[in-house]
């Protein structure tokens, strides 16, 4: 038995993998796998509709929003979103809260007049400034935020229901989408790479309000054009059929956990347990993020004595606790505790951490 704390591609719920295995060689009596059938055939269209309808129900996506399963990942969306949304004056505002919003700013700089409405770079990306202090231009085509910074472990505390900024809000939710209920109607566009909380890599989710669909720049590739993909029900070209299938199974599993309200309770218990272990370790472990802005999904922490890092990782691995090494940009450790990580996995991690601190502290 192992527990997987990988930041991404990340753990997929075991029942989802078991079901995929059981259906792999003969999908619903077709005699082939789901990967080997036409995306336009009746069998796959049912899989596609099931994934889309389940997502709409789980996230309470309003009727005036389209759901698109695309490709290109979160990083692709850093360009795809502006190519679709910058409009005629090509102005957009960005909030920089860490590694991924920095990448988003680097990408969009090639396409338009970009203004940084707020940045937490001066404090080392350890908090989020209050939205009332953000300096958003009222003629910006949109305001872009990354609601959960996967590497820095910073989550916007108001992400489930953000304030109105007077311009459409565009959010990268790659690493915490579907971890808790949220109000989709507060956003213009939400995007997420699937490989953290939805399924395998190579699948990208886009949720977009209807009125933002048809303003892509002429040079935007057709497959990345939100309007064209919406018109063709995200089948302008071949989608990641295997990814869509696994996402649908993950949504079934989420429903079995009581939907987003159910999984939110588990996620809350997990994060509370882990941060408590860090905070009550008398400084043996530490997390630098301001408490209200701490991520429920990605928990970076460091050891006071960094010379113990290798021993910590090796012993954790022997105890079946995998992939706890922090991102090279931040160092130290990181436990990613997405939806698929069970509470018992976090309990096992905390037991190990307490024991390690007792022996080495
Ligand atoms: C992982 C991640 C990305 C990059 O996703 P890719 O699918 O590798 O392009 C972007 N944003 C956030 C918040 C992420 O966690």
């Amino acid at each position: 038995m192992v527990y997987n704390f990988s930041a991404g591609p990340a753990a997929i719920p075991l029942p989802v993998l078991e079901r995929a295995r059981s259906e792999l060689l003969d999908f619903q009596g077709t005699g082939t796998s789901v990967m080997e059938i036409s995306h336009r055939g009746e069998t796959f269209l049912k899989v596609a509709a099931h994934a889309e309808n389940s997502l709409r129900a789980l996230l309470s996506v309003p009727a005036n929003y389209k759901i698109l399963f695309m490709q290109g990942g979160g990083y692709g969306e850093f360009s795809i979103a502006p190519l679709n949304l910058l409009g005629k004056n090509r102005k957009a505002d960005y909030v920089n809260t860490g590694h991924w919003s920095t990448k988003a700013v680097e990408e969009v700089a090639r396409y338009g007049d970009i203004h940084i409405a707020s940045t937490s770079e001066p404090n080392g990306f350890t908090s989020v400034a209050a939205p009332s202090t953000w300096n958003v231009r009222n003629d910006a085509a949109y305001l872009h935020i990354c609601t959960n910074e996967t590497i820095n472990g910073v989550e916007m505390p108001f992400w489930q229901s953000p304030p109105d900024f007077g311009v459409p809000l565009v959010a990268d939710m790659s690493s915490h989408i579907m971890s808790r209920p949220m109000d989709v109607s507060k956003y213009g566009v939400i995007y997420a790479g699937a490989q953290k909380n939805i399924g395998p890599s190579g699948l990208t989710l886009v949720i977009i309000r209807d009125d933002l669909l048809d303003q892509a720049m002429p040079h935007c590739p057709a497959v990345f054009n939100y309007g064209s993909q919406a018109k063709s029900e995200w089948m302008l070209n071949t989608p990641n059929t295997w990814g869509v299938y696994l996402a649908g199974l993950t949504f079934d599993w989420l429903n079995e956990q009581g939907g987003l309200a159910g999984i939110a309770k588990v996620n809350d218990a997990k994060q509370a347990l882990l941060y408590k272990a860090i905070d009550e370790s008398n400084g043996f472990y530490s997390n630098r993020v301001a408490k209200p802005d701490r991520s429920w999904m990605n928990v970076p922490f460091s050891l006071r004595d960094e010379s113990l890092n290798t021993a910590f990782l090796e012993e954790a691995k022997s105890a079946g606790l995998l992939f706890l090494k922090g991102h090279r940009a931040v160092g130290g450790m990181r436990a990613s505790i997405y939806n698929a990580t069970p509470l018992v996995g976090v309990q096992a991690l905390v037991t190990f951490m307490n024991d390690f601190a007792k022996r080495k502290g």
Side-chain angles (χ1 to χ4, degrees):
M1 186 71 211
V2 297
Y3 294 111
N4 178 354
F5 298 96
S6 171
I12 290 175
L14 187 59
V16 169
L17 295 175
E18 283 168 343
R19 172 132 174 238
R21 179 177 62 185
S22 77
E23 294 180 337
L24 185 61
L25 300 187
D26 179 10
F27 183 68
Q28 296 182 357
T30 53
T32 74
S33 80
V34 69
M35 281 180 280
E36 303 165 285
I37 57 177
S38 168
H39 57 295
R40 301 188 196 282
E42 200 187 332
T43 305
F44 187 77
L45 287 179
K46 278 195 195 137
V47 173
H50 174 69
E52 186 177 323
N53 295 337
S54 304
L55 176 75
R56 188 175 289 279
L58 276 162
L59 263 177
S60 308
V61 179
N64 62 325
Y65 284 70
K66 289 278 183 305
I67 292 170
L68 308 173
F69 288 106
M70 296 175 64
Q71 298 180 58
Y75 213 143
E77 286 298 324
F78 298 160
S79 287
I80 295 167
L83 284 169
N84 278 278
L85 303 170
L86 273 174
K88 292 225 156 47
N89 75 3
R90 299 207 181 181
K91 283 186 173 182
D93 288 15
Y94 277 64
V95 174
N96 190 354
T97 46
H99 179 94
W100 289 116
S101 22
T102 301
K103 293 284 174 218
V105 169
E106 278 169 21
E107 286 293 289
V108 72
R110 293 188 275 128
Y111 302 109
D113 162 6
I114 306 308
H115 164 71
I116 304 298
S118 172
T119 177
S120 36
E121 196 171 5
N123 70 28
F125 297 126
T126 52
S127 65
V128 179
S132 56
T133 67
W134 297 0
N135 173 19
V136 181
R137 297 180 294 188
N138 57 18
D139 62 344
Y142 62 87
L143 172 67
H144 182 278
I145 60 179
C146 176
T147 45
N148 187 66
E149 286 282 359
T150 321
I151 290 172
N152 308 85
V154 172
E155 187 168 34
M156 292 186 169
F158 43 83
W159 72 280
Q160 294 164 276
S161 187
D164 184 7
F165 294 96
V167 301
L169 192 56
V170 176
D172 175 2
M173 295 197 181
S174 295
S175 51
H176 69 167
I177 190 152
M178 307 188 89
S179 60
R180 285 186 254 178
M182 63 169 290
D183 184 353
V184 171
S185 74
K186 304 282 188 195
Y187 291 87
V189 177
I190 292 166
Y191 64 83
Q195 70 271 25
K196 279 97 185 208
N197 241 354
I198 292 178
S201 59
L203 179 70
T204 317
L205 167 68
V206 176
I207 303 172
I208 175 167
R209 208 173 63 211
D210 285 343
D211 61 290
L212 300 171
L213 275 171
D214 291 306
Q215 21 168 19
M217 294 182 193
H219 55 278
C220 176
V223 297
F224 293 147
N225 184 312
Y226 294 152
S228 308
Q229 283 289 14
K231 264 185 220 94
S232 58
E233 295 182 333
W234 51 270
M235 299 243 180
L236 191 67
N237 69 324
T238 317
N240 176 349
T241 54
W242 172 246
V244 170
Y245 160 71
L246 281 182
L249 296 189
T250 303
F251 302 150
D252 292 345
W253 174 83
L254 270 174
N255 278 317
E256 288 159 15
Q257 313 311 305
L260 299 193
I263 204 74
K265 282 201 192 107
V266 181
N267 287 333
D268 191 9
K270 282 153 50 185
Q271 65 86 22
L273 188 64
L274 184 48
Y275 284 114
K276 184 168 182 280
I278 293 167
D279 291 341
E280 296 182 356
S281 68
N282 293 318
F284 188 88
Y285 303 108
S286 61
N287 167 285
R288 302 191 309 137
V289 178
K291 282 192 182 162
D293 304 331
R294 284 174 162 183
S295 170
W296 282 25
M297 296 281 105
N298 309 100
V299 182
F301 60 95
S302 45
L303 276 63
R304 182 172 46 210
D305 178 358
E306 299 215 309
S307 72
L308 293 173
N309 283 0
T310 307
F312 180 90
L313 289 166
E314 278 172 5
E315 289 188 30
K317 192 175 170 198
S318 308
L321 307 166
L322 306 184
F323 310 123
L324 288 163
K325 191 173 184 315
H327 190 273
R328 61 188 184 282
V330 174
M333 310 297 155
R334 173 175 48 169
S336 292
I337 49 175
Y338 299 118
N339 287 351
T341 303
L343 179 58
V344 288
V346 178
Q347 285 163 341
L349 173 61
V350 164
T351 301
F352 168 78
M353 287 170 66
N354 289 341
D355 177 63
F356 187 86
K358 203 186 266 167
R359 285 186 287 112
K360 311 273 184 178

